[in-house]
Amino acid sequence: MDFLSLMIIYSICFFLSTIICLVGSKDSDIRIIRWMFIYGEKASSFLWSSLIPRFVRQWLDSVTDRLLYRRNPAFQVIYVVLWLTVFVQFSLETDWLLRKYRIASNLSTVAYAGFFGNLVLFLCCSWTNPGIITKSGYRKLIVEYDYDNQMFKKDSRCKSCEVLKPARSKHCAICDHCVHRFDHHCTWINNCVGARNVRHFLLFLLSITLQCALVAALSTMAMWKLADVTGLLDAQYLDANQVKRPVTIFIIVQHLFMQRPFIIFITASLWLLVILTGAFTSYHIFLACTNQTTNERYKLAEMKKENRKLNMKLGKKDDKLKTREIVRFYNAGLWRNLKEVFLVR
């Protein structure tokens, strides 16, 4: 099996595992995914404890704790390196081919603008105050949202910050401060996503998805034109019976990979990222349109889980948690929801 086949198999496995991680959980209603998570976790835990030496496990746990559960610029550096890699590849290979064969020269200029626009939005997400709640400013934030008395209860006080928590706020254990309209902590930007930078974060996600799609499309066009010019599209090969057959797409990609492996690998990775970041972006667009946050969705899931446990303990089956009213509590309509996200608060 050649390297290209291994890369394709790896990409498929990575894609499927990522989709399972995105749509499934231990509490998932999809029984197959739920089963995979429950027994997969047990199997991985057993293998982890039995095959990996203790000192290696302790070292890996320490590294994981520093990378994911403490503020550090590691993932910011990784993102910048990836950005530079794609930018250099596009500049040296894709753009050169596009100009040589006079293909979509205007879109090439748009791609360069997109690179720098994406970097600016990344810096905005990283450096903008997400809405940190201070002892001197929490009183102004308390009146911005009403308490629904389900997810957010009145007179709730943060034990760490020692302030009354405004509705829709949460204390971030990684940043060690409360954030107004808290969504989640993003390790890629080394910052929380909250009321003050959620618009930057949403635009950042949109720019990633569109930029990946544009560069991947331009790279695909350049490679297809190269295959056409070199006569690869009209080539034939002899099968096992010595019969001439036209080359397939797989053979074309394999041949191009042998000639220009870097651009083919980057293009395949970008198409995969379009799917993954597109799904993540669509989810956050849904949250913006319905005036919800990731934290609130998580709280609601926990409430439903506790409600199911209580019903099982009491022997009830029909007494379900009424989530519709909770979800709609902060929903002010599509236009007002988007206005709340994108306009300066």
Side-chain angles (χ1 to χ4, degrees):
M1 185 178 293
D2 56 17
F3 179 74
L4 178 60
S5 301
L6 289 173
M7 186 186 71
I8 293 174
I9 293 173
Y10 169 79
S11 300
I12 293 174
C13 294
F14 176 77
F15 171 73
L16 292 177
S17 62
T18 305
I19 291 298
I20 291 173
C21 290
L22 288 174
V23 303
S25 65
K26 295 178 184 177
D27 303 316
S28 175
D29 293 330
I30 305 176
R31 293 186 178 182
I32 295 177
I33 296 177
R34 185 179 178 184
W35 180 86
M36 290 176 64
F37 265 88
I38 294 174
Y39 291 97
E41 183 181 11
K42 291 181 179 179
S44 61
S45 178
F46 172 77
L47 294 174
W48 175 258
S49 59
S50 59
L51 299 180
I52 307 298
R54 183 177 180 181
F55 74 94
V56 176
R57 281 185 277 131
Q58 291 177 344
W59 180 80
L60 290 174
D61 288 339
S62 175
V63 172
T64 303
D65 179 70
R66 289 180 179 275
L67 288 177
L68 300 180
Y69 303 109
R70 297 184 187 180
R71 291 202 70 181
N72 65 84
F75 281 90
Q76 289 176 300
V77 174
I78 292 173
Y79 181 83
V80 173
V81 170
L82 293 174
W83 183 93
L84 286 172
T85 301
V86 178
F87 179 79
V88 170
Q89 176 273 320
F90 180 82
S91 301
L92 297 181
E93 296 196 57
T94 302
D95 187 46
W96 179 79
L97 289 171
L98 293 174
R99 296 184 184 280
K100 179 180 179 180
Y101 298 118
R102 298 180 181 179
I103 308 171
S105 57
N106 293 332
L107 289 179
S108 181
T109 304
V110 173
Y112 280 114
F115 274 116
F116 290 101
N118 175 260
L119 185 60
V120 170
L121 288 171
F122 172 74
L123 296 176
C124 289
C125 291
S126 301
W127 293 343
T128 302
N129 184 339
I132 298 175
I133 301 172
T134 61
K135 292 183 179 180
S136 59
Y138 77 94
R139 296 183 184 277
K140 296 180 180 179
L141 300 176
I142 286 180
V143 298
E144 287 200 16
Y145 293 109
D146 295 329
Y147 292 89
D148 66 336
N149 291 320
Q150 294 287 334
M151 293 184 292
F152 306 102
K153 296 182 179 180
K154 196 172 183 179
D155 298 328
S156 177
R157 182 177 291 273
C158 178
K159 296 180 181 179
S160 300
C161 300
E162 297 181 350
V163 296
L164 287 175
K165 296 175 65 175
R168 311 190 77 179
S169 66
K170 183 181 184 298
H171 184 87
C172 177
I174 299 176
C175 297
D176 195 25
H177 50 230
C178 287
V179 177
H180 183 47
R181 199 183 183 276
F182 178 86
D183 190 275
H184 71 287
H185 180 90
C186 180
T187 55
W188 287 101
I189 63 174
N190 194 28
N191 197 7
C192 292
V193 177
R196 302 294 184 262
N197 66 347
V198 62
R199 56 187 176 278
H200 299 140
F201 184 74
L202 189 55
L203 292 174
F204 172 62
L205 293 179
L206 284 170
S207 70
I208 290 178
T209 305
L210 295 177
Q211 185 68 9
C212 287
L214 179 59
V215 175
L218 291 175
S219 300
T220 302
M221 292 167 60
M223 288 293 95
W224 195 258
K225 183 63 178 180
L226 182 63
D228 183 30
V229 171
T230 57
L232 184 60
L233 297 182
D234 300 323
Q236 295 180 328
Y237 73 99
L238 294 175
D239 62 7
N241 299 320
Q242 300 300 310
V243 178
K244 288 186 177 181
R245 297 185 182 278
V247 292
T248 61
I249 294 294
F250 182 80
I251 294 176
I252 293 174
V253 174
Q254 189 176 27
H255 186 78
L256 290 173
F257 181 78
M258 298 302 295
Q259 290 184 332
R260 297 178 181 271
F262 191 54
I263 188 173
I264 293 296
F265 181 78
I266 292 294
T267 303
S269 301
L270 288 176
W271 280 124
L272 181 62
L273 281 174
V274 169
I275 298 174
L276 298 179
T277 59
F280 190 63
T281 304
S282 299
Y283 171 71
H284 276 276
I285 291 175
F286 163 75
L287 293 181
C289 292
T290 55
N291 207 333
Q292 300 181 73
T293 65
T294 303
N295 177 52
E296 290 165 3
R297 300 283 294 183
Y298 174 79
K299 280 180 173 288
L300 190 61
E302 288 296 310
M303 291 171 63
K304 291 168 68 175
K305 180 179 177 180
E306 292 298 324
N307 188 71
R308 283 197 299 268
K309 289 183 179 180
L310 181 61
N311 289 339
M312 291 178 62
K313 187 176 181 180
L314 298 177
K316 297 181 180 180
K317 295 183 179 180
D318 299 327
D319 184 19
K320 296 182 179 180
L321 179 69
K322 295 181 180 180
T323 59
R324 210 172 264 184
E325 292 79 5
I326 301 176
V327 171
R328 292 178 178 176
F329 188 84
Y330 296 110
N331 192 340
L334 179 61
W335 170 245
R336 289 186 178 180
N337 293 339
L338 294 177
K339 183 179 178 181
E340 181 179 316
V341 170
F342 287 102
L343 295 184
V344 179
R345 297 179 58 81

